Amino acid sequence: ENDVLDRYYSAAKKYQCDYVVRITGDCPLVDPNLLDQLIDLALNTDADYCSNVFYESFPDGQDIEVFKYNVLRKAWKEAKLSSEREHVTPYIIKNTDVKGGGLFTAQAYESDSDYSNVRMTVDTLSDFNAMRTLINNLGVNESWDVYTSFILKNPENFFNQEIVRNLGYLKSLKNE
């Protein structure tokens, strides 16, 4: 339960994949076009790790990470902190050249504007109710920016926007 890094590594090893694309189950409206852009970035640059989480400019719920299997294997072997085991990629991120590390090459993907204050993930009942409102109004096939615009234009329907991003990871860091 507390070693999600091991679960990811075991699955990747079993299926002998070259790359891992990480999106989380609490983010049901990840934009497939954004996902394709991150995959293309990884393949075209040959970076070890590509993501839109380095500089949180996309809404919470649109977090995408693409990394090579050998990067995951190295993290699995070397990550020691509980926060690095429970949350899969902190070891990788802090060891990228983008964050000043020397183990992995990385590419950061950013939005043209800062939407980091927009939340479209499901961690609480308030999040669930917000997502239900979003889906009931727009369905499940819109782009991230259409959902974002709707949330920003209808703040009275989205009481979850004040919830702190990545609270679970922040709690893990505090416990260490």
Side-chain angles (χ1 to χ4, degrees):
E1 179 180 335
N2 294 324
D3 194 348
V4 183
L5 177 58
D6 182 64
R7 292 199 319 254
Y8 264 77
Y9 173 71
S10 296
K13 183 178 178 184
K14 178 179 180 177
Y15 293 102
Q16 301 178 8
C17 56
D18 295 326
Y19 284 86
V20 174
V21 176
R22 181 171 184 258
I23 56 175
T24 58
D26 57 355
C27 302
L29 295 176
V30 170
D31 186 330
N33 292 317
L34 182 59
L35 182 63
D36 286 346
Q37 292 166 2
L38 267 292
I39 292 170
D40 288 344
L41 181 64
L43 296 175
N44 292 332
T45 63
D46 196 39
D48 294 322
Y49 176 88
C50 294
S51 183
N52 64 349
V53 301
F54 281 114
Y55 311 108
E56 295 171 341
S57 60
F58 285 92
D60 190 2
Q62 296 298 320
D63 301 342
I64 300 168
E65 299 171 291
V66 181
F67 45 93
K68 294 179 179 178
Y69 168 78
N70 62 354
V71 170
L72 179 63
R73 183 179 63 233
K74 187 168 186 67
W76 177 78
K77 287 180 181 178
E78 297 181 9
K80 303 296 182 221
L81 299 174
S82 60
S83 62
E84 296 171 341
R85 305 298 302 185
E86 182 182 355
H87 296 281
V88 185
T89 56
Y91 177 87
I92 297 169
I93 292 169
K94 73 180 177 186
N95 286 291
T96 63
D97 52 2
V98 169
K99 290 293 186 178
L103 292 180
F104 310 118
T105 59
Q107 291 288 321
Y109 192 79
E110 295 180 71
S111 172
D112 292 337
S113 297
D114 181 5
Y115 297 106
S116 61
N117 62 326
V118 176
R119 185 172 175 87
M120 57 180 81
T121 187
V122 183
D123 291 323
T124 68
L125 180 58
S126 180
D127 289 332
F128 178 80
N129 291 331
M131 292 299 288
R132 181 172 37 203
T133 298
L134 199 57
I135 291 168
N136 285 344
N137 281 277
L138 299 176
V140 295
N141 294 313
E142 294 297 338
S143 64
W144 72 268
D145 51 331
V146 169
Y147 292 126
T148 299
S149 293
F150 188 82
I151 291 168
L152 293 174
K153 289 178 183 173
N154 299 282
E156 69 280 1
N157 295 321
F158 297 94
F159 299 107
N160 66 328
Q161 299 301 298
E162 299 301 319
I163 297 173
V164 175
R165 188 176 188 140
N166 297 322
L167 190 57
Y169 178 61
L170 296 174
K171 286 180 181 177
S172 294
L173 291 175
K174 184 178 179 185
N175 291 336
E176 289 176 352

